[in-house]
Amino acid sequence: MKISEILKEIKYKRITVDSDVEISGICTDSQKVKQGDLFICYVGNIHDSHDYAAEAVRAGAVAVICERALDCAVPQIIVDDGRKCVAAVARAFYAFADKKLKLVAVTGTNGKTTTTYMLESIFKCAGKKCGVIGTLGISYGDKFVSPELTTPDPVFLHCIFADMVNCGVEYVFMEVSAHALFYGKTDGLTFDVGIFTNCTQDHLDFFGNMKDYSECKKSLFKSGKCKFSVINSDDEIGRQILKQASGAVSYGIKNPADVFAIDIEERINGSVFVINLFDELYEIKLNIPALHNVYNAMAAAACAKLLGIPTDAVAEGLAGLKSVPGRLEHVAKFNGADIFVDFAHTPDGLEKSLQSLKKLCAGKLYCLFGCGGNRDKSKRPLMGEIASKYADFCIITSDNPRFEDPYDIITDIEAGIDSRKKKYVTVTERETATEYAIRLLEKNDILLVAGKGGEYYQEIMGIKHSYNDNTVIKRIIG
């Protein structure tokens, strides 16, 4: 592609060398530049990629988009904000592949992954070719790409869109994180449906306060970004979105909604309920327990219906989803007790999972969890308080301590536990803590292992060590 084709899609101040060079790729990481690439510079949180432009040119970059003139002997396109150019450049380079796909965005603090998996199951049941992009990775056809970020960076995202089109994919269900919205990763995309699940405390280490965090989530539903919106009417921020968004439909249980559930029966192996789907009644069976998954199912059902999927295929698709890795996933039975693994890593997520399991537990409810290092510290005592409120006994351990001392994280969690109860232990090493918790189990007990879900690593001092809760549990019980 000629650089002139790229320039049609961005606003720029000037070009240092008037040369319509041929571009064979796009890159924002100087260590990954290939011959013929266009290198895009911007100022990041830690590094300024302008400092690596010369290295990129030596590696083969034939042009540079930058915010200031550099000492490089290649054409330089000077712009105000390099980061804001990335999505537009990527879309143009990959021939606007996104326009050939039906895109569904799912945003919210919790429930994004499960909702995308429910949508995938529904649409496959209806005979549609679809792909999923999110926390657990990217999957379409017979391809799977291991996860790096919940929402990929624009260059990789549009590369994936182009390959999806080549593979015949029709529908794409993607998780859109608050960070992705903040950094403009989805700029230029028009979603056929945008889904809002909820907004509760998370990522305050980045956003600073709930107002800025929620405003970022709400930005997905501003005019023109979503043709239709599916909004949780039982969430405070959701109700604010419903007042502002055009083409919005609602789902909920407590407040009036276009889609709602009645006669809900929660079980250890799932839930059964009757859905009112735009005034059409249908019995829904889920293999995933907990009330919050009833909400996720309603969101997926409403989206599918808006995109023309018949209700019987919606019901069949939801019933056909056996589990979602690490999302309140029943992974084993031991001594007559049930063991679940869940990604719950926020106060709201942990509370909802424990509330649901408490209702189903005929014995003791155990909760093993930790909190991530170098992230929002204010949620640690809140999670300690919630765990001690609902669980009969807690095992506090490490999650992804990153560059923090695990003892310090555990101490922050302990601050929220009712000192009069003290129904907990601390075991810093996660695998040891898991084995300790499992040995406590007796008939009718439930153990929730929370925080990491389907992750296959534990991050300690900048190194990702191989670790998976599901695998560890199965090894312990043999």
Side-chain angles (χ1 to χ4, degrees), residues 431-451:
E431 184 166 352
T432 303
T434 303
E435 182 167 7
Y436 174 85
I438 288 173
R439 300 307 172 193
L440 295 174
L441 297 177
E442 297 179 354
K443 186 177 181 180
N444 296 324
D445 291 344
I446 292 178
L447 168 62
L448 175 66
V449 178

Side-chain angles (χ1 to χ4, degrees), residues 209-440:
N209 57 71
M210 282 299 296
K211 184 178 185 301
D212 289 347
Y213 175 52
S214 62
E215 286 299 319
C216 196
K217 291 286 188 189
K218 289 160 69 174
S219 69
L220 176 65
F221 303 96
K222 290 183 178 178
S223 177
K225 291 190 176 183
C226 301
K227 295 177 184 176
F228 293 99
S229 302
V230 175
I231 311 297
N232 181 355
S233 65
D234 289 344
D235 183 273
E236 181 182 350
I237 302 301
R239 290 191 292 276
Q240 294 175 21
I241 296 171
L242 283 168
K243 293 178 182 177
Q244 302 166 359
S246 58
V249 300
S250 59
Y251 69 96
I253 297 173
K254 300 174 184 176
N255 291 292
D258 300 300
V259 177
F260 58 91
I262 57 174
D263 298 336
I264 302 169
E265 182 183 342
E266 295 182 61
R267 303 169 181 171
I268 195 75
N269 60 348
S271 299
V272 178
F273 62 96
V274 174
I275 193 171
N276 184 312
L277 187 58
F278 304 114
D279 294 329
E280 185 177 355
L281 299 179
Y282 217 97
E283 184 178 73
I284 302 294
K285 296 179 180 178
L286 296 178
N287 295 301
I288 311 171
L291 186 62
H292 59 265
N293 283 317
V294 174
Y295 276 88
N296 294 332
M298 288 190 293
C303 173
K305 198 68 175 175
L306 287 171
L307 292 176
I309 303 300
T311 306
D312 58 345
V314 171
E316 187 178 345
L318 290 171
L321 182 63
K322 301 305 179 186
S323 66
V324 179
R327 270 57 181 179
L328 208 57
E329 180 184 9
H330 186 279
V331 298
K333 286 188 77 76
F334 182 76
N335 280 353
D338 294 282
I339 304 174
F340 289 85
V341 167
D342 192 35
F343 189 51
H345 62 289
T346 67
D348 179 67
L350 186 63
E351 182 169 39
K352 284 178 177 174
S353 291
L354 286 172
Q355 278 180 332
S356 293
L357 294 177
K358 187 73 172 175
K359 289 185 286 187
L360 303 170
C361 187
K364 288 184 177 181
L365 176 59
Y366 293 89
C367 179
L368 182 151
F369 76 106
C371 289
N374 304 107
R375 297 292 186 268
D376 179 12
K377 292 185 178 183
S378 65
K379 71 180 182 182
R380 295 173 186 174
L382 297 177
M383 293 180 69
E385 179 183 3
I386 288 165
S388 63
K389 177 181 177 181
Y390 293 101
D392 295 296
F393 192 81
C394 299
I395 303 91
I396 306 174
T397 187
S398 295
D399 192 292
N400 291 315
R402 298 186 177 89
F403 292 97
E404 279 196 73
D405 187 328
Y407 290 99
D408 292 339
I409 299 172
I410 289 172
T411 299
D412 289 342
I413 295 170
E414 286 182 283
I417 296 177
D418 190 334
S419 60
R420 295 167 297 178
K421 297 178 181 178
K422 290 201 172 184
K423 48 181 185 177
Y424 72 96
V425 296
T426 65
V427 183
T428 306
E429 207 278 320
R430 191 174 180 93
E431 184 166 352
T432 303
T434 303
E435 182 167 7
Y436 174 85
I438 288 173
R439 300 307 172 193
L440 295 174

Side-chain angles (χ1 to χ4, degrees), residues 69 72 95 102 111 146-147 149-150 155 162 172 178 192 201 226 235 252 265-266 282 290 304 314 381 392 426 450 470:
C72 296
K102 295 281 188 183
S146 296
L149 298 169
T150 297
V155 175
V172 180
D192 291 88
Q201 182 174 334
C226 301
D235 183 273
E265 182 183 342
E266 295 182 61
Y282 217 97
V314 171
D392 295 296
T426 65
N470 194 324

